[in-house]
DNA sequence: CGCTTATTTTGAATGAGTCAAGATAAGAAA
DNA sequence: TTTCTTATCTTGACTCATTCAAAATAAGCG
């Protein structure tokens, strides 16, 4: 359903519908995010530079923010780590993060399709998303601790 | 049960048991965190300065990190916001954050005492905590949008 | 094809947080 | 109590992901 958003034709459509111009930096950034799940900004910049050496870091930052606002990609930023991005979006999945090495993996929601969206006391907030981060130790770091 | 940790005698005990010295900056920082739930570092520094004008920002940063590691306080850092601290700890509660103004409130767990600790696929991680952040709009910002 | 202006480039700036060296004070021992 | 050791604090410089701003460029409408 949603993968079309990250196909070449799909992204053009998404951008045009939002009255945004379809530029080379933007297309390259989205391709890089799709090809590098959970990559940080520096990794995205490097990936973009492989095909487009002259794209500035600012253009990458701008594009990442734009796509995040449009809901085409998602930003993840666990405590004490820099921002990462993923193009898997709209399926309400979560993440496990290793306390030691920062390694990050996807986790499907354990409670169902739209989990935990009901807080016990929402203080009058209109809640639209429940973000869940599982903290622990990845297999590699568990092995090192022995 | 756990409040004793933040009483004067309690914190001395906690620090001594961890072979840490009981210093004026540390006691002042813990008092400030307890008195200002969800405060950021700058607020903590200001609060500490009211009683101890000469305590350095570095001592505050060090103390906050120490207490966080000891489990006496908890650090919260929603995306795009700076770190905040709270002394309510050990009861596995969560937070609602306003997308617009950053306002933050406590939320008791909706799933029970130890919620969501079972990820559907944990990728072999040894999970010890499920951090949940509910995103939405606080009552004030909802009103402004009308 | 040319024009308008959204995007990009370039380069400097921001700011929460960290590092490091010397000064201070907690608390063990005498 | 006084001395001594060293953990902790003060001071001030520094990091680095991210943002800001002005001038240059290019998307895409007419």
């Amino acid at each position: 359903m949603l993968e079309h958003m990250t196909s070449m034709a799909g992204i053009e459509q998404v951008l045009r519908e939002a009255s945004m111009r379809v530029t080379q930096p933007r297309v390259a950034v989205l391709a890089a995010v799709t090809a590098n799940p959970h990559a940080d900004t520096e990794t995205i910049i490097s990936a973009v530079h492989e095909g487009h050496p002259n794209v500035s870091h600012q253009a990458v930052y701008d594009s990442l923010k734009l796509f995040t606002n449009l809901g085409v990609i998602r930003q993840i930023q666990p405590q004490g780590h820099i921002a990462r991005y993923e193009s898997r979006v709209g399926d309400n999945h979560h993440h496990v993060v290793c306390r030691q090495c920062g390694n990050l993996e996807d986790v499907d929601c354990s409670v169902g399709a739209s989990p935990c969206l009901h807080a016990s006391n929402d203080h009058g907030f209109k809640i639209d998303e429940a973000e869940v981060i599982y903290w622990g130790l990845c297999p590699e770091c568990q092995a090192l601790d022995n």
Side-chain angles (χ1 to χ4, degrees), chain A residues 8-26:
Chain A
M8 205 56 91
I11 189 53
E12 284 205 24
Q13 193 186 342
V14 169
L15 285 172
R16 292 225 158 83
E17 280 172 3
S19 307
M20 296 289 164
R21 292 184 181 171
V22 179
T23 65
Q24 291 205 331
R26 284 175 180 168

Side-chain angles (χ1 to χ4, degrees), chain A residues 16-101:
Chain A
R16 292 225 158 83
E17 280 172 3
S19 307
M20 296 289 164
R21 292 184 181 171
V22 179
T23 65
Q24 291 205 331
R26 284 175 180 168
V27 172
V29 165
L30 189 61
V33 172
T34 303
N36 300 275
H38 305 150
D40 60 18
T41 309
E42 198 184 313
T43 303
I44 303 293
I45 292 174
S46 299
V48 167
H49 279 178
E50 282 176 22
H52 302 78
N54 299 318
V55 170
S56 68
H57 75 135
Q58 188 61 247
V60 174
Y61 273 102
D62 286 348
S63 299
L64 289 172
K65 182 173 280 185
L66 173 67
F67 288 132
T68 300
N69 291 338
L70 291 179
V72 178
I73 66 176
R74 170 142 73 124
Q75 191 195 52
I76 322 158
Q77 189 166 23
Q79 299 223 2
H81 297 268
I82 61 180
R84 298 164 168 229
Y85 296 87
E86 67 182 357
S87 59
R88 183 180 165 191
V89 132
D91 64 347
N92 194 262
H93 71 96
H94 304 308
H95 299 102
V96 230
V97 183
C98 179
R99 286 190 190 282
Q100 205 147 324
C101 68

